[in-house]
Amino acid sequence: MKQGFPIAMPGQKIGLLGGSFDPAHQGHALITREALRRFALDRVWWMVSPGNPLKAHGPAPLAQRVEYARKILHGDPRVVVSDIEARLGTRFTADTLSQLRGLYPGVRFVWLMGADNLVQFDRWDHWHDIIETVPIGVLARPGWRMKGRHARAARIYAQAELPPSQSFRLADGPAPRWCFINIPMSGQSSTEIRKRGDWRVG
């Protein structure tokens, strides 16, 4: 494996949580713990993005966001904070997944997202390719549960949804395959943290 890239072995189930993490907070840690447990994952990679194409303003410097995210996790060995998208030179999730599957043959990736992202998922670049490529685990977010359940992508791929009782099997079958789970809620938001001035931007 290339230097600086996370390590994963064939057969492992790896959850991918992408985002700007501007900044990371305990809400991210909460959904990660729940994803590890409910989807029976071996690891979760936090993929700290160079920038979000759907956001108008750029985030704090990448190295700063990566360092802060690692502090939030307090050394949890099940979670890897990575700047892998910057290393790959990808900006869009579909491109990242394509390269990861080539670099990690036999690894069973699961894309993780909050219900708020499911609502806008049909705006993502090549979103059909994403859901047809890897299973997707959707985690409830405060104020987004019902909107997520009725999202356009959820309606289009209704037949591919696993019931929450089968969430532990999400990574065990081919895409399209997704599961929506309810979890303990955290009201923390990166946007609100920045508004309060609790996060230095550069």
Side-chain angles (χ1 to χ4, degrees):
M1 182 48 54
K2 295 181 180 180
Q3 185 174 4
F5 282 61
I7 296 172
M9 305 302 293
Q12 281 191 311
K13 295 184 279 190
I14 306 291
L16 302 173
L17 185 64
S20 57
F21 294 95
D22 188 29
H25 52 70
Q26 289 303 323
H28 293 125
L30 170 65
I31 66 173
T32 298
R33 288 193 299 269
E34 290 295 321
L36 282 160
R37 182 174 67 88
R38 297 287 294 277
F39 299 132
L41 302 173
D42 296 303
R43 299 281 188 276
V44 170
W45 296 355
W46 284 10
M47 300 195 307
V48 184
S49 64
N52 185 335
L54 294 181
K55 292 185 177 180
H57 303 290
L62 178 59
Q64 178 182 334
R65 288 180 284 129
V66 167
E67 179 183 4
Y68 193 82
R70 288 175 176 153
K71 290 179 180 178
I72 288 290
L73 292 167
H74 302 294
D76 189 330
R78 302 171 301 169
V79 188
V80 176
V81 180
S82 174
D83 60 356
I84 194 167
E85 285 188 305
R87 293 176 183 272
L88 292 172
T90 56
R91 286 191 69 212
F92 296 101
T93 300
D95 298 332
T96 299
L97 290 173
S98 177
Q99 292 209 37
L100 287 179
R101 293 175 76 221
L103 286 169
Y104 296 91
V107 173
R108 290 183 281 175
F109 288 112
V110 172
W111 184 259
L112 303 173
M113 67 167 68
D116 52 330
N117 276 317
L118 181 59
V119 171
Q120 62 171 349
F121 186 47
D122 61 303
R123 294 171 51 203
W124 290 23
D125 187 68
H126 294 291
W127 71 275
H128 283 287
D129 292 340
I130 297 170
I131 200 168
E132 297 278 350
T133 296
V134 295
I136 295 178
V138 183
L139 302 106
R141 290 286 312 275
W144 292 95
R145 192 191 319 248
M146 293 308 296
K147 291 178 182 177
R149 297 294 313 158
H150 295 94
R152 180 169 177 258
R155 297 196 308 271
I156 292 173
Y157 284 91
Q159 297 302 313
E161 183 180 8
L162 285 181
S165 62
Q166 297 296 306
S167 61
F168 65 95
R169 297 180 54 212
L170 180 62
D172 296 334
R177 189 178 178 93
W178 66 284
C179 185
F180 188 112
I181 60 170
N182 294 315
I183 63 173
M185 296 288 189
S186 168
Q188 282 199 304
S189 155
S190 297
T191 302
E192 292 303 316
I193 291 172
R194 291 195 303 272
K195 284 181 179 177
R196 290 199 308 266
D198 295 343
W199 167 245
R200 291 196 56 178
V201 191

